[in-house]
Amino acid sequence: MEKYIDIFLNSFSGYFNYLINEIQNPSLTNYFWWLIGLSFLVLAMEIIIPWRKDQKIIRKGFWLDVFYVFFNFFIFSLIGYNAVSNVFVELFNDFLGLFGIDNLVAFHIQNFPIWSQFLIMFLVADFIQWNVHIQLHKRSWLWKFHKVHHSVKEMGFAAQFRFHFMETIVYKVVQYVPLAMIGFGIQEFFIVHMFGVLIGHLNHANVGWDYGPFKYILNNPKMHIWHHSKALPEERPYGMNFGLTLSLWDYLFGTAHIPEDGKNIELGFDSDEDYPQDFWNQLKRPFKE
Ligand SMILES: [Zn+2]
Ligand SMILES: [Zn+2]
């Protein structure tokens, strides 16, 4: 037990030093400065070509979401994710060790050309995320956590990062085994991660496009807004458009649904009127429901 606690704590202190270093040393593979850059890029699009022209730039929940960006991306997605994943990997390897298995790798993906490694990693991870996202809606104990993301009432890019930290844990744990089996660690490729951040920002941004014919592959603002619709069609009680980066899975498996222009639909979920709209109460809420 002590071993796992040590790994957990060392991950945090190691990460803290890494983060300070990131902020001080901008580079091409720097999470901090890429996140800042992409955020300003998408914010600029919202200002120059807004979809809902009467929506304020500093919309309802804007500062809350900005806080979530930093909390979930750094404190949790990167730090906690490091800590949790280091512990999980150790636990998992120890567990396999009980059965005399010391390597889970079924395919040696490292021998593939690097571009195909990116592509495979991205496709596998995104497909798993799509499946997990559906479960977040269907299972009531998961939905309690996922409600935080659906508490957004006015959409803007930063809403992407409004989610409960438990989601990071659920996504990463579920992803770990399949990715480990094709020879990936829990660390994602930088470029795959930042591409996901950009598309995710755009999915939530106040910009009204869908990439034309590429809408069948890439998730987009016109599609994702329906995922946040307060009213759900009778035949889709758990919702629709579950894709994270790709919309492909929704089109392949029949969960895509864009009945009309969703520009001004009401967002949220049933009886969200009394849902907390501050970070601390949103953090605690799922544990009390
Ligand atoms: Zn959702
Ligand atoms: Zn969303």
Side-chain angles (χ1 to χ4, degrees):
M1 191 62 210
E2 210 171 307
K3 175 172 79 169
Y4 303 122
I5 294 174
D6 272 355
I7 293 175
F8 186 79
L9 293 177
N10 288 336
S11 305
F12 269 90
S13 58
Y15 195 83
F16 184 74
N17 296 331
Y18 162 76
L19 184 58
I20 298 295
N21 195 43
E22 280 275 291
I23 295 171
Q24 290 172 341
N25 300 295
S27 76
L28 269 179
T29 52
N30 181 303
Y31 280 103
F32 181 82
W33 290 106
W34 266 101
L35 178 70
I36 301 270
L38 293 179
S39 298
F40 276 102
L41 175 74
V42 179
L43 176 66
M45 290 178 185
E46 289 186 327
I47 295 172
I48 300 165
I49 39 163
W51 190 15
R52 292 169 294 276
K53 295 193 174 48
D54 45 356
Q55 179 176 306
K56 294 196 180 76
I57 307 294
I58 309 296
R59 63 185 163 80
K60 193 188 282 177
F62 179 86
W63 293 114
L64 174 64
D65 292 346
V66 169
F67 181 75
Y68 268 111
V69 170
F70 288 98
F71 183 82
N72 277 331
F73 193 85
F74 287 104
I75 311 200
F76 225 84
S77 198
L78 290 177
I79 307 184
Y81 155 107
N82 246 6
V84 171
S85 64
N86 289 347
V87 170
F88 184 77
V89 169
E90 188 73 14
L91 264 172
F92 193 75
N93 285 336
D94 288 356
F95 173 77
L96 289 180
L98 294 178
F99 304 96
I101 304 169
D102 59 7
N103 187 359
L104 196 66
V105 179
F107 309 93
H108 283 275
I109 200 114
Q110 283 82 0
N111 303 333
F112 289 31
I114 190 81
W115 65 267
S116 67
Q117 289 189 35
F118 281 140
L119 192 65
I120 295 169
M121 164 91 181
F122 169 65
L123 288 173
V124 172
D126 198 68
F127 183 58
I128 297 168
Q129 287 177 331
W130 176 80
N131 279 282
V132 171
H133 189 188
I134 292 179
Q135 297 308 315
L136 293 177
H137 281 261
K138 285 196 170 168
R139 298 183 189 271
S140 64
W141 69 276
L142 289 173
W143 171 240
K144 285 177 195 166
F145 292 104
H146 190 50
K147 265 179 169 173
V148 171
H149 182 62
H150 284 266
S151 71
V152 175
K153 297 298 287 179
E154 272 184 354
M155 200 60 103
F157 75 94
Q160 166 180 206
F161 280 98
R162 184 189 298 195
F163 56 82
H164 198 281
F165 71 82
M166 279 295 289
E167 283 199 23
T168 307
I169 298 180
V170 172
Y171 275 111
K172 298 307 167 195
V173 167
V174 175
Q175 270 179 357
Y176 176 71
V177 175
L179 287 178
M181 288 192 68
I182 53 174
F184 289 119
I186 192 118
Q187 297 301 347
E188 288 173 47
F189 288 115
F190 181 84
I191 189 167
V192 174
H193 195 148
M194 291 323 292
F195 181 65
V197 168
L198 174 63
I199 299 300
H201 265 13
L202 289 168
N203 291 340
H204 296 87
N206 183 20
V207 290
W209 64 49
D210 58 11
Y211 316 123
F214 294 105
K215 67 182 174 191
Y216 299 109
I217 297 173
L218 269 186
N219 197 2
N220 54 76
K222 283 189 157 176
M223 181 175 197
H224 193 66
I225 199 149
W226 282 101
H227 179 67
H228 284 263
S229 169
K230 179 163 179 166
L232 295 174
E234 218 169 290
E235 68 285 7
R236 298 176 189 272
Y238 298 107
M240 53 263 180
N241 308 345
F242 298 100
L244 280 273
T245 303
L246 296 179
S247 59
L248 181 69
W249 317 119
D250 286 307
Y251 283 107
L252 280 179
F253 299 102
T255 47
H257 185 64
I258 305 167
E260 57 187 50
D261 187 350
K263 183 177 168 185
N264 290 310
I265 54 171
E266 186 180 1
L267 311 179
F269 50 84
D270 256 350
S271 48
D272 58 2
E273 296 76 18
D274 19 80
Y275 201 78
Q277 287 290 335
D278 67 280
F279 177 77
W280 192 237
N281 282 304
Q282 290 193 341
L283 193 80
K284 293 186 296 186
R285 179 67 178 240
F287 300 105
K288 296 194 294 194
E289 263 184 322

